[in-house]
Amino acid sequence: MLIAVVIFVVVVTALGSALLRQRKRLDALLAEFGGGPRVRSDHITSLRTAMQRRQKEYDVVVKQRDLRLVAIGATPLGIQLYDSEGAVVVSNDAAQQLLGSSNVALRERLAELVRHTRETGIEMDERVLTSRPVERLTRVVVRPVGDREGVVVALVDATKSRRIEKVRRDFIANASHELKTPIGALRVLVEALVATSDVATKGALVERLSSEVVRMSALVDDVLDLARVESDVDEEAFERTNIADVVQTSLAGLASESDRYGVKIDVGGIDPDLWVCGDHRQLESAITNLMDNAVKYTAAASRRVPVDVQAQLVGDAVVITVSDAGIGIPERDIDRIFERFYRVDRARSRETGGTGLGLAIVRHVALNHGGTVSVESVAGEGSTFRIALKQEGPCSAS
Ligand code: ADP
């Protein structure tokens, strides 16, 4: 028992002096690094505050970085970021799509451009045209970041704007070409008129002059009409429109033409209670073009069979059909007649005063109204054009 007590006392004393030694060492250490125990607790508090502040700043930075990454991911622009070693560190969805696995040519060109910018520090801006898997034009901008710290790439799909640009250029070229013919004719006729003193010749020349002027003004009217229907749809002009009213307006406008060609227009098959949400003026232009063609091309077949216009509700679509027993359209041309300036027979079109724009206008009007236009035709027998429009339109509630 005594031995146990002695051992206990010895152990406790040894432990105590060891702890004391440890404490003295710690105090000495603390004294060395800034004072006694009171200073130490202040120090720890300010250290903690500083660390908390740092943590907050760090959280903000991380948040901003995450937000930037989300924004980069969501942008429709292809964005890539390369580090100083040329490794991709960021590549958003749009970039992945544009560089898709089959677009090898674009990936190869991009790699060259990135290498060039990394080596020279010079910004590159290039349009890369690739043909596979489909034809595509991509604008590639490669810009150095910082002092050769990396490279940022922006990829823009310019295919659509290139196509629109081409369509515009073609249209201007075609329209100018179409205008050249009547303008040339006018010049020749005016020169002949000035040169002659014969009254009968003068009369004939004036008559021809007047028909060239009519042709030119028809062309200008159609060009303007097409430009109007091709521009952005003006929802403001959309209103609840009665189809029978539109057909009547078109009919009135074609009365003299119908008389001149001796081809009547029969509108008996029009349901008077058909309504669509649309632009009255555009719809009138489309229906007038179809009826005008039907009259012209019936007369061209030397027939006098009336043109038949119908408008009925088929399911939930308002279907307007214009049928004629005219010259019809050869099968090989059917797919092309809705193109601008396309005519099956140019010489005949000149005789009938056609501009080649009528059906392009019809197609656009149908599209603007969320509808379609189709044709069935047998060469030598006649044609039926059909416009289908939604009965319920965006302004049906008004
Ligand atoms: P155009 O002013 O020459 O009639 P369109 O764009 O209206 O131009 O029509 C394009 C071409 O489609 C016409 O040149 C003609 O060859 C053909 N076409 C259009 N409608 C008819 C029709 N009802 N019957 C026969 N051919 C037609």
Side-chain angles (χ1 to χ4, degrees), residues 177-215:
H177 182 76
E178 295 288 332
L179 275 169
K180 249 172 102 174
T181 317
I183 288 172
L186 284 182
R187 229 177 74 188
V188 172
L189 289 168
V190 168
E191 278 167 13
L193 197 64
V194 170
T196 186
S197 52
D198 179 55
V199 179
T201 313
K202 270 190 184 200
L205 287 170
V206 167
E207 219 166 86
R208 285 184 57 197
L209 260 173
S210 132
S211 78
E212 287 302 332
V213 168
V214 168
R215 183 192 311 283

Side-chain angles (χ1 to χ4, degrees), residues 71-195:
I72 288 174
T75 176
L77 215 72
I79 303 277
Q80 283 198 318
L81 193 62
Y82 292 73
D83 66 13
S84 56
E85 305 299 317
V88 182
V89 282
V90 173
S91 184
N92 70 354
D93 286 354
Q96 305 288 7
Q97 257 174 30
L98 285 169
L99 295 166
S101 56
S102 36
N103 204 340
V104 182
L106 178 61
R107 284 204 307 277
E108 284 176 357
R109 185 65 193 139
L110 174 64
E112 283 167 19
L113 293 172
V114 168
R115 198 177 314 121
H116 187 264
T117 298
R118 280 183 54 230
E119 285 167 11
T120 60
I122 295 171
E123 175 179 328
M124 302 299 288
D125 187 339
E126 196 176 292
R127 279 159 195 271
V128 183
L129 185 64
T130 47
S131 53
R132 265 177 278 169
V134 287
E135 191 170 279
R136 176 183 282 158
L137 183 74
T138 312
R139 184 175 169 203
V140 184
V141 181
V142 187
R143 204 173 262 187
V145 178
D147 186 18
R148 308 273 171 96
E149 286 160 50
V151 160
V152 65
V153 171
L155 301 161
V156 188
D157 188 352
T159 316
K160 198 173 163 197
S161 47
R162 176 174 178 255
R163 205 178 49 233
I164 291 171
E165 193 49 44
K166 185 179 178 315
V167 168
R168 241 177 230 155
R169 265 202 318 268
D170 288 354
F171 182 58
I172 291 170
N174 283 333
S176 314
H177 182 76
E178 295 288 332
L179 275 169
K180 249 172 102 174
T181 317
I183 288 172
L186 284 182
R187 229 177 74 188
V188 172
L189 289 168
V190 168
E191 278 167 13
L193 197 64
V194 170

Side-chain angles (χ1 to χ4, degrees), residues 96-346:
Q96 305 288 7
Q97 257 174 30
L98 285 169
L99 295 166
S101 56
S102 36
N103 204 340
V104 182
L106 178 61
R107 284 204 307 277
E108 284 176 357
R109 185 65 193 139
L110 174 64
E112 283 167 19
L113 293 172
V114 168
R115 198 177 314 121
H116 187 264
T117 298
R118 280 183 54 230
E119 285 167 11
T120 60
I122 295 171
E123 175 179 328
M124 302 299 288
D125 187 339
E126 196 176 292
R127 279 159 195 271
V128 183
L129 185 64
T130 47
S131 53
R132 265 177 278 169
V134 287
E135 191 170 279
R136 176 183 282 158
L137 183 74
T138 312
R139 184 175 169 203
V140 184
V141 181
V142 187
R143 204 173 262 187
V145 178
D147 186 18
R148 308 273 171 96
E149 286 160 50
V151 160
V152 65
V153 171
L155 301 161
V156 188
D157 188 352
T159 316
K160 198 173 163 197
S161 47
R162 176 174 178 255
R163 205 178 49 233
I164 291 171
E165 193 49 44
K166 185 179 178 315
V167 168
R168 241 177 230 155
R169 265 202 318 268
D170 288 354
F171 182 58
I172 291 170
N174 283 333
S176 314
H177 182 76
E178 295 288 332
L179 275 169
K180 249 172 102 174
T181 317
I183 288 172
L186 284 182
R187 229 177 74 188
V188 172
L189 289 168
V190 168
E191 278 167 13
L193 197 64
V194 170
T196 186
S197 52
D198 179 55
V199 179
T201 313
K202 270 190 184 200
L205 287 170
V206 167
E207 219 166 86
R208 285 184 57 197
L209 260 173
S210 132
S211 78
E212 287 302 332
V213 168
V214 168
R215 183 192 311 283
M216 220 166 93
S217 94
L219 179 59
V220 171
D221 283 351
D222 275 2
V223 167
L224 290 176
D225 254 9
L226 186 61
R228 204 173 300 122
V229 299
E230 278 190 349
S231 61
D232 284 343
V233 181
D234 178 13
E235 302 261 317
E236 298 279 298
F238 273 52
E239 56 192 4
R240 203 159 172 264
T241 306
N242 181 265
I243 293 298
D245 278 356
V246 177
V247 173
Q248 279 306 325
T249 324
S250 297
L251 193 65
L254 287 170
S256 66
E257 165 142 325
S258 165
D259 282 351
R260 183 153 46 95
Y261 284 110
V263 178
K264 287 195 164 40
I265 303 173
D266 179 359
V267 295
I270 307 270
D271 178 343
D273 197 27
L274 285 179
W275 298 82
V276 296
C277 177
D279 181 332
H280 191 290
R281 194 169 156 181
Q282 284 196 14
L283 291 169
E284 183 195 323
S285 167
I287 292 171
T288 301
N289 270 303
L290 290 184
M291 297 199 322
D292 179 27
N293 280 348
V295 167
K296 274 187 329 199
Y297 295 110
T298 298
S302 305
R303 296 190 186 120
R304 298 288 173 267
V305 183
V307 167
D308 181 42
V309 185
Q310 307 251 347
Q312 304 293 339
L313 193 64
V314 181
D316 59 355
V318 171
V319 178
I320 305 150
T321 53
V322 178
S323 307
D324 65 64
I327 56 171
I329 302 159
E331 213 182 315
R332 63 171 187 277
D333 297 296
I334 287 254
D335 288 341
R336 302 204 57 192
I337 55 169
F338 291 96
E339 289 173 19
R340 298 150 161 177
F341 298 114
Y342 188 82
R343 288 104 154 185
V344 173
D345 182 340
R346 281 195 161 258

